[in-house]
Amino acid sequence: MILNVALGILFCLAVLFGITCMSVLIGVKRQLKDMMDALNDIESGNGNRRILAANNELTADLAYKINGIIYRYEGQLSQLRVAEETNRQMMTSLSHDVRTPLTTLIGYMDAVHRGIIAGKEREDYLEIARRKAHDLKDYIDILFDWFKLNSSEFALSIEQVEIGELTRNILKDWIPVFEENHLEYQIEIPEKPLLAKVDLDGYARIVNNLIQNVITHSQAVQIKIEIAEKETEIEIYIEDNGIGIEKTDLQHIFNRLYKCDKGRSDKGSGLGLSIVRQMVEKMNGRITVQSEPHQYTVFTVYLCKLQG
């Protein structure tokens, strides 16, 4: 009798275990089917689809892992879309910014070549053509810097330098340019050595681009270049008293291909300040801009100070 009862209990337990296992298998099969449907949906292009799973489900960890991979994939895809849009804008800008001055340059040179102008007008045409050729070279140089800076092969050679002396050496070549452009200049660099880690060519490019930006766009009559030592940073100020930058433009001023004056297509590539910011950040620094239209504009470069 006791044996029969025990066998009955075991039979019931076996049946109950079987029902439980079957229920679990059915649940897992349903979850796998849901996962397959979700993956098919994602494969067809729905990047927002995610696999839903409760924490107590057997496939939960697998579902969360797949969701993580999809999330990262979508992030990379989004970056690729942004890069494609940037490249498209770049090619459109390149086509316009190169073709327009090149066409103008050819027009002036053809006029001289055909002899339809003479005397002073011929000399004027040649001078304009010369300036156009230099503008075109400057644009291509900036474009080359941009592509180089954004290539995976680009690397800076960071070394410890004395910023004051390095800046003086850069600025001495600008003095004749300031005078030629009737730009009153003021330079304040401490005599005390100020050490920072920078790439020599990169730092020169930062300073040169910011000064060239003043000369090309600001219409200023005064420029002030100052270096100041703070507790943990070295600050380089480049300030002018030109037309300034509107507040609506300030937040975009370092964006690639951004031009404050959309109608000023023959001046500036929209890449110069973007190159400056990238270069500063690659040296673990930062850059800010403040401006009050028709009063002042000041770009400030912050570099980490090394203790001497």
Side-chain angles (χ1 to χ4, degrees):
M1 182 65 182
I2 296 174
L3 180 61
N4 289 337
V5 172
L7 287 174
I9 293 173
L10 287 174
F11 177 76
C12 291
L13 289 174
V15 170
L16 184 61
F17 179 74
I19 292 173
T20 303
C21 288
M22 184 61 70
S23 175
V24 170
L25 286 174
I26 291 173
V28 170
K29 186 177 179 181
R30 178 187 56 77
Q31 293 161 19
L32 291 175
K33 182 179 182 304
D34 290 344
M35 292 171 68
M36 184 58 71
D37 290 343
L39 289 174
N40 287 334
D41 193 19
I42 293 166
E43 186 181 33
S44 65
N46 183 5
N48 294 321
R49 180 70 180 271
R50 295 292 181 268
I51 300 172
L52 302 178
N55 290 333
N56 59 351
E57 291 182 351
L58 291 177
T59 58
D61 290 342
L62 178 62
Y64 300 154
K65 185 75 173 180
I66 293 174
N67 284 340
I69 293 172
I70 294 169
Y71 182 78
R72 288 194 297 275
Y73 171 76
E74 279 300 310
Q76 294 171 354
L77 202 59
S78 177
Q79 291 178 356
L80 283 175
R81 292 192 188 102
V82 171
E84 285 180 1
E85 175 61 19
T86 299
N87 290 336
R88 187 192 65 76
Q89 292 179 11
M90 182 78 77
M91 292 308 297
T92 302
S93 178
L94 176 66
S95 175
H96 180 271
D97 291 349
V98 170
R99 186 178 296 169
T100 301
L102 190 59
T103 301
T104 306
L105 173 62
I106 291 172
Y108 281 108
M109 296 304 296
D110 281 348
V112 173
H113 177 71
R114 291 169 186 163
I116 58 178
I117 53 172
K120 185 178 181 305
E121 190 177 13
R122 181 178 184 277
E123 296 302 316
D124 290 342
Y125 269 45
L126 285 173
E127 174 58 20
I128 293 172
R130 187 187 68 82
R131 291 203 305 267
K132 293 287 182 185
H134 278 282
D135 290 344
L136 199 56
K137 178 185 178 300
D138 291 342
Y139 178 77
I140 292 172
D141 285 345
I142 289 177
L143 204 59
F144 178 76
D145 285 345
W146 166 259
F147 282 116
K148 185 179 175 183
L149 194 59
N150 286 276
S151 74
S152 58
E153 299 176 357
F154 179 80
L156 295 176
S157 178
I158 305 291
E159 58 184 284
Q160 178 175 309
V161 298
E162 204 282 289
I163 286 295
E165 188 62 22
L166 177 59
T167 307
R168 288 188 196 94
N169 287 331
I170 296 170
L171 295 181
K172 70 180 182 183
D173 293 331
W174 281 102
I175 303 301
V177 180
F178 293 155
E179 293 174 348
E180 182 181 346
N181 286 273
H182 308 291
L183 196 58
E184 182 182 331
Y185 60 91
Q186 181 180 351
I187 298 172
E188 295 182 7
I189 299 177
E191 294 297 328
K192 176 186 176 182
L194 299 174
L195 300 177
K197 280 190 171 183
V198 299
D199 175 275
L200 295 178
D201 291 338
Y203 180 76
R205 197 172 304 168
I206 291 167
V207 175
N208 288 335
N209 280 8
L210 291 174
I211 294 175
Q212 186 62 58
N213 187 66
V214 172
I215 292 175
T216 304
H217 299 300
S218 75
Q219 301 176 27
V221 295
Q222 295 177 341
I223 184 171
K224 179 179 180 183
I225 299 141
E226 180 183 359
I227 294 181
E229 178 186 18
K230 302 298 179 182
E231 185 175 353
T232 60
E233 293 179 312
I234 297 171
E235 298 179 359
I236 300 102
Y237 308 97
I238 296 181
E239 180 176 357
D240 69 76
N241 68 338
I243 59 175
I245 304 169
E246 297 290 340
K247 293 189 184 305
T248 52
D249 291 318
L250 273 179
Q251 58 184 320
H252 305 292
I253 199 70
F254 295 111
N255 292 352
R256 52 196 166 195
L257 299 179
Y258 189 82
K259 298 179 182 180
C260 294
D261 182 358
K262 305 298 186 298
R264 196 177 50 195
S265 59
D266 61 335
K267 289 185 178 181
S269 61
L271 292 175
L273 291 177
S274 176
I275 290 173
V276 166
R277 182 176 67 174
Q278 287 190 71
M279 196 67 72
V280 170
E281 290 176 348
K282 284 182 179 292
M283 297 182 199
N284 297 317
R286 58 194 172 95
I287 183 170
T288 63
V289 58
Q290 294 177 296
S291 183
E292 193 64 42
H294 304 289
Q295 294 188 35
Y296 74 92
T297 297
V298 55
F299 287 90
T300 306
V301 176
Y302 302 84
L303 297 174
C304 297
K305 185 178 72 173
L306 299 179
Q307 299 302 322

